[in-house]
Amino acid sequence: MCGHERHRNLSSIASHVDSGLMNPVTNLEKVARYLRSIERGDFAYIADLFSPDAVLEQLPNRIYPNGIKSGVSRMAEAFEKGRMLLSSQSYEIKSCVADGDRLSVEVLWTGTLAVAFGSLAAGSQMRAHSAMFFQFKDGKIVSQRNYDCFEPW
């Protein structure tokens, strides 16, 4: 599904997972559901998707100038901070490449601020063009590495 379908609607991909129409669930469908769960603020699915020893890494960007690397144990805390900072957020999958247990997705992230952030007022939007690299093992994500390029603000 991944290699030749571009600009897939996140809801369309994740709805296959939600409705149970596709079995087994592909890694792309899992990632689409993961991103949709972030949009909805549903942490339960997210926590279950990751292996307990998974590593999450964000390469240096405007928010994390030195990058950041953490495990799943800090994921819930980061998730809650994001929910407090943003009134809404969305992910649009632009393209993807799958290779066995590895999946790379290009996404456009848009977040609407619930509170002021830096020079931005509450209600302002932030956008980032991101490349996300996932490694799966036994159906769970064992690593996620993000390259986030934020638009100027």
Side-chain angles (χ1 to χ4, degrees):
M1 174 188 331
C2 197
H4 52 285
E5 293 187 31
R6 294 188 177 266
H7 304 283
R8 291 293 309 259
N9 180 306
L10 186 57
S11 294
S12 147
I13 295 168
S15 69
H16 291 292
V17 176
D18 291 341
S19 66
L21 293 176
M22 298 184 80
N23 197 6
V25 177
T26 68
N27 291 342
L28 175 60
E29 291 163 334
K30 289 176 186 178
V31 167
R33 174 73 187 268
Y34 164 50
L35 298 175
R36 189 162 144 194
S37 295
I38 294 171
E39 292 174 348
R40 291 180 173 174
D42 175 16
F43 189 72
Y45 177 81
I46 295 169
D48 188 51
L49 185 59
F50 284 81
S51 170
D53 60 347
V55 175
L56 293 88
E57 183 177 12
Q58 288 191 26
L59 280 288
N61 60 56
R62 185 143 185 213
I63 294 177
Y64 298 108
N66 296 318
I68 188 169
K69 195 173 196 176
S70 66
V72 174
S73 61
R74 295 192 54 206
M75 204 173 176
E77 178 185 329
F79 184 81
E80 284 307 313
K81 282 183 181 178
R83 288 185 63 198
M84 295 174 85
L85 179 65
L86 300 166
S87 60
S88 68
Q89 58 184 318
S90 65
Y91 292 85
E92 179 186 350
I93 295 177
K94 297 290 195 173
S95 66
C96 58
V97 176
D99 180 19
D101 283 338
R102 296 188 304 175
L103 175 69
S104 303
V105 294
E106 175 189 10
V107 301
L108 173 61
W109 170 84
T110 304
T112 302
L113 292 170
V115 297
F117 180 79
S119 63
L120 295 174
S124 298
Q125 285 196 330
M126 299 173 70
R127 290 167 50 111
H129 304 267
S130 300
M132 301 174 161
F133 296 86
F134 296 90
Q135 177 72 45
F136 288 80
K137 182 177 181 185
D138 299 325
K140 301 276 188 176
I141 296 172
V142 294
S143 72
Q144 177 183 345
R145 188 174 60 251
N146 285 20
Y147 296 82
D148 299 325
C149 300
F150 289 88
E151 291 184 358
W153 72 73

